[in-house]
């Protein structure tokens, strides 16, 4: 039973480029969450999605960041025109039901480095 | 404004002894709490959880205690093993300030080192 999968594991971008991070939830999970971790910090919630719907994007910066979870395929976190401050580890998690008192299972993360 | 605080950045414990990791929270809307363990370059791994209707939950060597009146929880690991060396994150589930849904709010983590 495969866990949450994320790719790429490492991504290097130059300032101004676009970064696309992919997440495939655990089998049977239809709820996906994205988190960002800066060095020496905890994980910070960004966005919560169900298939084809963004449920809560209150933690996501209003500009340059977007997320989707299409009917078919993985969830995508997209960062346009990356800046050095976007360098961080981005984690995806999934759960079988919604976030109320549900355990979220995390993927290995994508480490984004912006040069 | 940190709603979940882990005030000890690091902790060293001798193998075989008890490890106690602490976590405090400020938001009384939090009603479900989780501990995750994280190795470098990996994602967080779920360890154990507790609902606010309980004050203790045990799973093998891991026990979580919740004191709602003090808004405090702790994770006990006994006996500690070298493989337990990792960063431990406390997370609280509920409507955080400004949230649009139930969210997990994480502390900054405590790095546990178990010395053989």
């Amino acid at each position: 039973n495969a866990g949450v999968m994320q790719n790429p594991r490492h991504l290097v971008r130059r300032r101004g480029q676009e970064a696309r991070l992919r997440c495939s939830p655990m089998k049977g999970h239809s709820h996906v969450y994205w988190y960002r971790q800066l060095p020496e910090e905890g994980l910070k919630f960004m966005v919560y999605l169900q298939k084809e719907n963004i449920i809560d994007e209150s933690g996501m910066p209003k500009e340059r960041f977007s997320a989707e979870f299409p009917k078919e395929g993985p969830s995508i976190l997209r960062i346009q025109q990356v800046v050095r401050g976007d360098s961080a580890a981005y984690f995806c998690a999934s759960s079988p039901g919604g976030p109320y008192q549900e355990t979220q299972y995390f993927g290995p993360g994508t480490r984004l480095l912006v040069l | 404004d940190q709603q979940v605080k882990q005030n000890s950045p690091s902790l060293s414990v001798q193998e075989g002894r008890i490890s106690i990791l602490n976590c405090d929270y400020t938001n009384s809307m939090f009603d479900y709490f989780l501990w995750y363990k994280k190795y470098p370059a990996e994602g967080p791994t779920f360890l154990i959880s507790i609902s606010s209707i309980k004050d203790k939950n045990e799973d093998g060597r891991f026990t979580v205690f919740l004191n709602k009146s003090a808004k405090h929880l702790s994770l006990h690991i006994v006996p500690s093993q070298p493989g337990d060396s990792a960063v431990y994150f406390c997370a609280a589930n509920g409507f955080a300030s400004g949230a649009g849904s139930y969210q997990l709010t994480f502390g900054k983590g405590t790095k546990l080192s178990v010395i053989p």
Side-chain angles (χ1 to χ4, degrees):
Chain A
N1 185 16
V4 178
M5 299 175 68
Q6 289 188 250
N7 68 81
R9 295 290 303 272
H10 300 272
L11 184 60
V12 180
R13 285 288 178 265
R14 297 195 179 279
R15 280 178 295 168
Q17 291 184 319
E18 178 180 288
R20 281 191 175 224
L21 288 62
R22 294 174 199 80
C23 168
S24 296
M26 284 179 73
K27 190 174 180 181
H29 289 194
S30 58
H31 300 258
V32 165
Y33 315 83
W34 285 93
Y35 293 82
R36 176 165 66 176
Q37 184 186 25
L38 297 170
E40 310 301 322
E41 295 284 326
L43 282 72
K44 294 281 197 296
F45 168 83
M46 297 181 74
V47 61
Y48 159 40
L49 309 102
Q50 273 186 278
K51 282 287 186 182
E52 300 185 273
N53 288 302
I54 296 174
I55 308 299
D56 180 4
E57 55 183 351
S58 60
M60 201 152 69
K62 296 284 185 280
E63 296 179 358
R64 303 187 299 107
F65 285 73
S66 62
E68 63 177 14
F69 189 14
K71 189 176 179 181
E72 301 291 337
S75 175
I76 307 281
L77 179 68
R78 185 178 174 209
I79 312 172
Q80 295 179 290
Q81 299 174 328
V82 296
V83 300
R84 288 220 173 103
D86 297 333
S87 295
Y90 292 82
F91 293 97
C92 168
S94 71
S95 64
Y100 178 63
Q101 297 206 355
E102 277 273 2
T103 298
Q104 296 179 19
Y105 297 90
F106 283 81
T110 295
R111 274 111 191 121
L112 172 65
L113 176 63
V114 180
L115 301 176
Chain B
D1 177 32
Q2 266 194 284
Q3 298 189 61
V4 177
K5 295 180 185 178
Q6 294 178 257
N7 291 320
S8 298
S10 62
L11 174 68
S12 287
V13 170
Q14 207 73 32
E15 181 180 3
R17 307 293 288 266
I18 184 171
S19 295
I20 300 176
L21 297 99
N22 294 304
C23 178
D24 297 292
Y25 61 97
T26 56
N27 188 342
S28 56
M29 298 294 287
F30 291 147
D31 58 7
Y32 187 64
F33 303 89
L34 307 91
W35 284 94
Y36 287 86
K37 171 181 177 180
K38 187 181 179 302
Y39 293 117
E42 293 185 13
T45 301
F46 169 70
L47 269 178
I48 192 168
S49 61
I50 187 166
S51 166
S52 59
I53 62 172
K54 294 185 174 181
D55 54 19
K56 177 182 174 181
N57 189 24
E58 197 171 348
D59 183 2
R61 296 186 299 114
F62 302 92
T63 304
V64 56
F65 295 92
L66 175 62
N67 182 333
K68 278 182 64 179
S69 60
K71 293 192 178 70
H72 176 84
L73 62 155
S74 60
L75 174 69
H76 292 212
I77 307 172
V78 56
S80 301
Q81 299 172 355
D84 296 329
S85 297
V87 177
Y88 289 78
F89 288 99
C90 168
N93 182 249
F95 259 85
S97 175
S101 67
Y102 277 86
Q103 295 177 4
L104 278 188
T105 302
F106 282 81
K108 290 189 176 184
T110 296
K111 184 175 182 179
L112 174 66
S113 299
V114 180
I115 304 159

